[in-house]
Structures are given as structure tokens and as C-alpha cells.
Amino acid sequence: MSASPSRNTAAAKRFAGLGLIIALVALLLDQAVKILVERTMKLGESIQVIPNFLDIHYILNPGAAFSIGEDFTIIFAILQAAVAVYVIYLLIRKVGTRGWAIVLGSLLGGVLGNLTDRLFREPAFGFGHVVDMFSVQHFAIFNVADSFIVCSMIVVALMLIRGRNLDGTIGDPPKNNKADADDEKTEPTA
């Protein structure tokens, strides 16, 4: 019986490691693309990739998605830091499947990509502007980190809808039978 818990602990460590590696890869990819755009383009410049659909358009975004909340950059930085800490906690303490490790690692990498901009880019620590570059016509301008965040949140929603728990179980946890028995005893009689 003692072999099973150690195997579960080892698997949990592997899943946490996988999630953290994916987060690091996502962060590095995001930052590399941003640096490439900054070094090869002028602010506001646009390069057509797929006519009437996709451009590379270099902008700086002080707000959230769709440039909402431009006056609340520090709030977004604090929220992103809180999300990063919570996702790290989930990866280390709760995740018991490869699927959750991958999706939470992707989310963490995306959050850290944009948080890095907010912390270390101009105009000041915590108030930095996020570098965005992918412009889909009639939609939005976003970056690699945004793509990781959106795609991972879609998968999180699908996994939750399908009842996939972080520990690998499916559905709601079993109810406490003692509590159910106590409820039945306290029902009023007519």
C-alpha cells in the first residue's frame, strides 16, 4: 500500500514539472516574438501577412484585452501576479493529470508573458505597456501570451464542463454519507 502514495507523489511532481516547463517555453516564446517585433519594426508599423485577414501591427497596450482599462495598468499587474501564484499553487499541490498540467502551464506562461511586460517595460515598473502585434481584421490586436491565455481558458472551460477534476477524477466528489444520514434524521414530521 505504501508504493501507491509514493507513485502518486512522483507523478504529481512530474506533472508539476511538465506544467512549469510549458510555462517557461510559453514565456520565452512570447518574449522572443516581442523582442523581434521591437527590433525590426517601428511603433505603429504594419506588415500584411494574409491580405484582408492578418497583419503584424506593432503597438503598445497599457490596458487589458481590446485596450480596455488603460488607466488601471497597475491593477492588471497585481491581478496577473495573483493569477500566476494561484496557478503555480494548483500545479504544485492539486494537479494529478498530464492534461491539466499542460493547460495550466500554458495559462501560466501566457500570464507571465504579459506580466513581464507590465513589470519591466516602459513607462515604469508595474505600469509597463504590453507589446501586441497580431492584428486580425475587424477583431483585435494581440500577442503570443494572449493566445496562450485564451486557448488555455477555452480548454479549462471544456475540461470543467466535462467534469474533469484537477486530480484526474471525473464528476463531483462523493458526498459524505454521515452528513446525509444526519439530514434525514432532522427532517420535520407532518
Short mmCIF file of all heavy atoms in Angstrom, two decimals, residues 100 156-172:
data_model
loop_
_atom_site.label_atom_id
_atom_site.label_comp_id
_atom_site.label_asym_id
_atom_site.label_seq_id
_atom_site.Cartn_x
_atom_site.Cartn_y
_atom_site.Cartn_z
N TRP A 100 -4.24 18.52 -17.33
CA TRP A 100 -4.32 19.73 -16.51
C TRP A 100 -2.96 20.39 -16.41
O TRP A 100 -2.85 21.62 -16.39
CB TRP A 100 -4.87 19.41 -15.12
CG TRP A 100 -6.36 19.42 -15.08
CD1 TRP A 100 -7.18 18.34 -14.91
CD2 TRP A 100 -7.22 20.55 -15.21
NE1 TRP A 100 -8.50 18.74 -14.94
CE2 TRP A 100 -8.55 20.09 -15.11
CE3 TRP A 100 -7.00 21.91 -15.39
CZ2 TRP A 100 -9.65 20.95 -15.20
CZ3 TRP A 100 -8.10 22.76 -15.48
CH2 TRP A 100 -9.40 22.28 -15.38
N VAL A 156 -9.71 24.88 -20.36
CA VAL A 156 -10.14 24.78 -18.96
C VAL A 156 -11.66 24.69 -18.90
O VAL A 156 -12.21 23.84 -18.20
CB VAL A 156 -9.63 25.98 -18.12
CG1 VAL A 156 -10.37 26.10 -16.80
CG2 VAL A 156 -8.13 25.86 -17.87
N ALA A 157 -12.34 25.56 -19.62
CA ALA A 157 -13.81 25.54 -19.62
C ALA A 157 -14.34 24.20 -20.13
O ALA A 157 -15.26 23.62 -19.52
CB ALA A 157 -14.35 26.68 -20.48
N LEU A 158 -13.77 23.68 -21.19
CA LEU A 158 -14.22 22.39 -21.72
C LEU A 158 -13.96 21.26 -20.73
O LEU A 158 -14.81 20.37 -20.55
CB LEU A 158 -13.52 22.09 -23.06
CG LEU A 158 -13.91 22.98 -24.23
CD1 LEU A 158 -13.02 22.71 -25.43
CD2 LEU A 158 -15.38 22.78 -24.59
N MET A 159 -12.81 21.28 -20.08
CA MET A 159 -12.50 20.24 -19.11
C MET A 159 -13.46 20.30 -17.91
O MET A 159 -13.91 19.27 -17.42
CB MET A 159 -11.04 20.35 -18.65
CG MET A 159 -10.07 19.96 -19.76
SD MET A 159 -8.34 20.25 -19.35
CE MET A 159 -7.99 18.83 -18.32
N LEU A 160 -13.77 21.51 -17.47
CA LEU A 160 -14.70 21.65 -16.35
C LEU A 160 -16.11 21.23 -16.75
O LEU A 160 -16.82 20.58 -15.97
CB LEU A 160 -14.68 23.08 -15.82
CG LEU A 160 -13.38 23.50 -15.12
CD1 LEU A 160 -13.42 24.98 -14.78
CD2 LEU A 160 -13.12 22.64 -13.89
N ILE A 161 -16.53 21.59 -17.96
CA ILE A 161 -17.85 21.19 -18.44
C ILE A 161 -17.95 19.67 -18.50
O ILE A 161 -18.99 19.09 -18.16
CB ILE A 161 -18.15 21.82 -19.82
CG1 ILE A 161 -18.40 23.33 -19.66
CG2 ILE A 161 -19.32 21.14 -20.51
CD1 ILE A 161 -18.42 24.09 -20.97
N ARG A 162 -16.86 19.02 -18.90
CA ARG A 162 -16.84 17.56 -18.99
C ARG A 162 -16.63 16.90 -17.63
O ARG A 162 -16.61 15.68 -17.52
CB ARG A 162 -15.77 17.11 -19.97
CG ARG A 162 -16.10 17.60 -21.39
CD ARG A 162 -15.24 17.00 -22.43
NE ARG A 162 -15.55 15.59 -22.56
CZ ARG A 162 -14.68 14.68 -22.95
NH1 ARG A 162 -13.45 15.03 -23.26
NH2 ARG A 162 -15.02 13.41 -23.04
N GLY A 163 -16.45 17.70 -16.57
CA GLY A 163 -16.32 17.16 -15.23
C GLY A 163 -14.94 16.63 -14.90
O GLY A 163 -14.79 15.84 -13.97
N ARG A 164 -13.92 17.09 -15.60
CA ARG A 164 -12.54 16.63 -15.35
C ARG A 164 -11.95 17.43 -14.20
O ARG A 164 -11.67 18.61 -14.33
CB ARG A 164 -11.67 16.82 -16.60
CG ARG A 164 -12.21 16.19 -17.84
CD ARG A 164 -12.01 14.71 -17.81
NE ARG A 164 -12.54 14.14 -19.04
CZ ARG A 164 -12.57 12.87 -19.28
NH1 ARG A 164 -12.10 12.03 -18.41
NH2 ARG A 164 -13.08 12.42 -20.40
N ASN A 165 -11.74 16.78 -13.08
CA ASN A 165 -11.16 17.44 -11.92
C ASN A 165 -9.64 17.49 -12.01
O ASN A 165 -9.03 16.70 -12.71
CB ASN A 165 -11.59 16.71 -10.65
CG ASN A 165 -13.09 16.73 -10.47
OD1 ASN A 165 -13.74 17.72 -10.74
ND2 ASN A 165 -13.64 15.61 -10.04
N LEU A 166 -9.04 18.41 -11.27
CA LEU A 166 -7.59 18.58 -11.29
C LEU A 166 -6.84 17.31 -10.90
O LEU A 166 -5.74 17.06 -11.38
CB LEU A 166 -7.18 19.71 -10.34
CG LEU A 166 -7.55 21.12 -10.79
CD1 LEU A 166 -7.35 22.10 -9.65
CD2 LEU A 166 -6.73 21.53 -11.98
N ASP A 167 -7.43 16.51 -10.03
CA ASP A 167 -6.74 15.31 -9.55
C ASP A 167 -6.93 14.11 -10.47
O ASP A 167 -6.41 13.04 -10.20
CB ASP A 167 -7.19 14.96 -8.14
CG ASP A 167 -8.68 14.61 -8.06
OD1 ASP A 167 -9.38 14.64 -9.10
OD2 ASP A 167 -9.15 14.33 -6.95
N GLY A 168 -7.67 14.28 -11.55
CA GLY A 168 -7.87 13.19 -12.50
C GLY A 168 -9.21 12.50 -12.38
O GLY A 168 -9.57 11.71 -13.25
N THR A 169 -9.94 12.76 -11.31
CA THR A 169 -11.25 12.15 -11.16
C THR A 169 -12.24 12.85 -12.08
O THR A 169 -11.99 13.96 -12.57
CB THR A 169 -11.74 12.23 -9.70
OG1 THR A 169 -11.81 13.61 -9.31
CG2 THR A 169 -10.81 11.46 -8.78
N ILE A 170 -13.38 12.20 -12.29
CA ILE A 170 -14.42 12.75 -13.15
C ILE A 170 -15.68 12.94 -12.32
O ILE A 170 -16.09 12.04 -11.59
CB ILE A 170 -14.69 11.82 -14.35
CG1 ILE A 170 -13.43 11.72 -15.20
CG2 ILE A 170 -15.87 12.34 -15.17
CD1 ILE A 170 -13.52 10.74 -16.34
N GLY A 171 -16.27 14.11 -12.44
CA GLY A 171 -17.52 14.39 -11.74
C GLY A 171 -17.31 14.96 -10.36
O GLY A 171 -16.19 15.24 -9.92
N ASP A 172 -18.43 15.11 -9.63
CA ASP A 172 -18.38 15.65 -8.27
C ASP A 172 -17.78 14.63 -7.32
O ASP A 172 -17.98 13.42 -7.49
CB ASP A 172 -19.79 16.01 -7.80
CG ASP A 172 -20.39 17.15 -8.59
OD1 ASP A 172 -19.60 17.98 -9.10
OD2 ASP A 172 -21.62 17.21 -8.72
#
